[in-house]
Amino acid sequence: MTLEVGIIGTGMIGQDHIRRLTKVLSGVEVVGVTDIDQARAAAAAPEGAEVFATPAALISSEKVQAVVICSWGPAHEEQLLAAIAAGKPVFCEKPLVTSEAAALRVMEAEVAFGRRLVQVGFMRRFDADYRRLKAVIDGGKLGAPLMFHSVHRNASVPEGLYTSEMPLNDTLVHDADISRWLLSDEVTGVEVRVPRRSSRGGELRDPVFVLLHMASGALVDVEISVNIAYGYDIRGEVSCEAGVAALPNRPATVISDSNGIRQAIPADWRERFIEAYDQEFREWIEAASEGTATGPSTWDGYAATLVADAALCAVASRGLEPISMIAKPGLYGPLTAMAA
Ligand code: NAD
Ligand code: ISE
């Protein structure tokens, strides 16, 4: 069986996902695309795919069995609600939405529908290195996790489009989600410190240093730097009671020559997480073909949104901003069942 998919948003990641859905993965066909920039949608459309005038037309089309949302964050809510109303499985790039109220509206709609339809694009959960790290922690031989050091560095971000809020409400959401998943824990409070500003980003608030307080008492420190120049560098190290487990550098090949011993550094997220995105869509296609969703859920998107909101408040207050979540609806499983 082939899953017939429509893509909303044909910018950077939309085009990359169209490439993987048409050239890399099987069991799927891109039958429709749409973008507010119709010329961009037409240029990105695979042969034979229809270019729809609006997201609503794409979602309601009988040709489209499942939807992939790659538009900007503030547009996600309306498109998610339309996909849920149509009863169609939907993959939504992060962030799920951009406010707590919007996350609750999406959750309410999915719970009322009665079956999971939404998978959020937290691709780190599908990365082989993060999965091995989680297996070590869950294995328990190192004892309880006490601290997680997460480093999230981008070489650069689009000038003018990436604002000072975005390190916290666009970039940090990955670290928030992976911390919850790796430690099987929830975030209960957030602090933010703003160090000396990098001159490379102009007036942009960059870098930022974030401290996540977890329900277990574990602490997570996150460095977000979005103009680090040298490449896309993602690091993670978990300090446990009886040992430490860390991600390897990627790519893993070590070159030794007259310049010394070194490893290459990926240019951006497309390169670093290429296999994780492939695996995230393999698993999405399998679930969507059954009319449902697995993997990171609306609940996980809601949790990351709360962290982003609290982090933005913490910049202003310079204090610990508490997070309180609603009771978890049964649709999203128990707290400990946070597998990808
Ligand atoms: P982009 O600006 O390159 O592309 C977004 C596209 O969506 C644009 O072509 C724009 O015209 C279109 N669009 C915006 N609003 C729309 C609407 N209401 N209806 C139809 N089309 C609309 O941005 P991008 O970098 O591709 O990011 C898109 C989304 O993917 C964002 O939510 C971003 O956070 C996420 N993203 C995730 C990752 C990841 O690692 N998982 C990486 C990059 C981007
Ligand atoms: C981008 O939208 C992503 O999701 C990338 O994974 C992240 O590293 C980057 O900071 C975001 O802007």
Side-chain angles (χ1 to χ4, degrees), residues 94 123 152 154 157 162 170-171 174 226 232 234 269 277:
K94 47 63 58 177
M123 76 296 183
H152 191 160
N154 286 242
V157 284
Y162 191 95
D170 182 81
T171 297
H174 284 297
V226 297
Y232 187 71
I234 303 297
W269 35 269
Y277 295 120

Side-chain angles (χ1 to χ4, degrees), residues 8-14 17 34-37 40 55 69-73 75-76 79 93-95 121-123 161 170 174 232 269 273 277 280:
I8 302 173
T10 53
M12 275 196 293
I13 206 161
H17 288 338
T34 189
D35 195 296
I36 42 174
D37 181 340
R40 182 181 279 176
I69 299 177
C70 300
S71 54
W72 299 316
H76 293 178
Q79 297 162 4
E93 262 310 336
K94 47 63 58 177
F122 289 131
M123 76 296 183
L161 292 175
D170 182 81
H174 284 297
Y232 187 71
W269 35 269
F273 288 111
Y277 295 120
E280 134 187 277

Side-chain angles (χ1 to χ4, degrees), residues 6 9 48 51 62 75 82 88 110 128 161 172 185 192 217 251 263 295 311 323 329:
V51 180
E62 281 183 3
K88 298 189 179 178
E110 194 180 32
L161 292 175
L172 174 69
D185 213 342
V192 176
Q263 283 172 256
I323 288 182

Side-chain angles (χ1 to χ4, degrees), residues 23-338:
K23 300 207 166 89
V24 181
L25 302 176
S26 55
V28 65
E29 187 185 347
V30 177
V31 295
V33 296
T34 189
D35 195 296
I36 42 174
D37 181 340
Q38 284 279 292
R40 182 181 279 176
E47 208 182 318
E50 180 171 347
V51 180
F52 288 92
T54 61
L58 177 144
I59 291 165
S60 61
S61 166
E62 281 183 3
K63 282 185 189 169
V64 172
Q65 295 173 326
V67 178
V68 174
I69 299 177
C70 300
S71 54
W72 299 316
H76 293 178
E77 179 189 1
E78 189 182 345
Q79 297 162 4
L80 281 162
L81 290 174
I84 294 169
K88 298 189 179 178
V90 51
F91 175 94
C92 181
E93 262 310 336
K94 47 63 58 177
L96 175 76
V97 287
T98 48
S99 72
E100 177 180 4
L104 291 173
R105 284 191 289 269
V106 173
M107 206 185 303
E108 197 184 342
E110 194 180 32
V111 168
F113 183 75
R115 185 169 77 234
R116 272 201 57 194
L117 289 175
V118 178
Q119 177 176 322
V120 186
F122 289 131
M123 76 296 183
R124 291 185 182 188
R125 294 188 185 206
F126 301 86
D127 176 73
D129 295 324
Y130 274 111
R131 284 187 164 183
R132 278 188 280 265
L133 187 56
K134 180 165 175 60
V136 169
I137 296 164
D138 289 351
K141 289 197 175 136
L142 300 185
L146 308 175
M147 289 175 283
F148 173 39
H149 313 288
S150 190
V151 170
H152 191 160
R153 299 185 182 132
N154 286 242
S156 63
V157 284
E159 213 182 314
L161 292 175
Y162 191 95
T163 63
S164 278
E165 285 70 43
M166 289 174 78
L168 300 173
N169 70 10
D170 182 81
T171 297
L172 174 69
V173 293
H174 284 297
D175 303 273
D177 182 68
I178 206 69
S179 302
R180 297 176 56 250
W181 179 76
L182 267 180
L183 307 181
S184 303
D185 213 342
E186 288 294 0
V187 184
T188 57
V190 182
E191 290 179 75
V192 176
R193 293 291 178 276
V194 182
R196 178 180 180 179
R197 178 182 294 161
S198 164
S199 60
R200 294 181 42 79
E203 292 304 302
L204 196 67
R205 187 166 55 227
D206 167 52
V208 289
F209 187 77
V210 181
L211 195 61
L212 304 179
H213 294 248
M214 309 301 289
S216 65
L219 288 176
V220 177
D221 63 82
V222 187
E223 173 196 323
I224 308 264
S225 295
V226 297
N227 278 293
I228 202 82
Y230 70 88
Y232 187 71
D233 193 5
I234 303 297
R235 302 182 188 199
E237 183 178 271
V238 185
S239 300
C240 304
E241 291 168 306
V244 171
L247 294 174
N249 291 331
R250 284 281 159 200
T253 305
V254 179
I255 300 163
S256 304
D257 64 10
S258 56
N259 293 315
I261 300 174
R262 64 193 189 282
Q263 283 172 256
I265 295 172
D268 64 17
W269 35 269
R270 275 173 290 221
E271 191 182 339
R272 167 62 182 85
F273 288 111
I274 187 166
E275 285 148 3
Y277 295 120
D278 290 349
Q279 187 58 25
E280 134 187 277
F281 270 98
R282 253 180 227 113
E283 295 184 28
W284 179 70
I285 291 162
E286 202 179 321
S289 299
E290 302 290 319
T292 188
T294 53
S297 66
T298 302
W299 177 260
D300 300 311
Y302 160 68
T305 303
L306 293 183
V307 172
D309 286 353
L312 288 170
C313 292
V315 172
S317 73
R318 297 182 57 80
L320 171 60
E321 290 293 327
I323 288 182
S324 73
M325 304 181 83
I326 61 164
K328 191 176 191 177
L331 188 66
Y332 303 113
L335 178 64
T336 47
M338 290 176 71

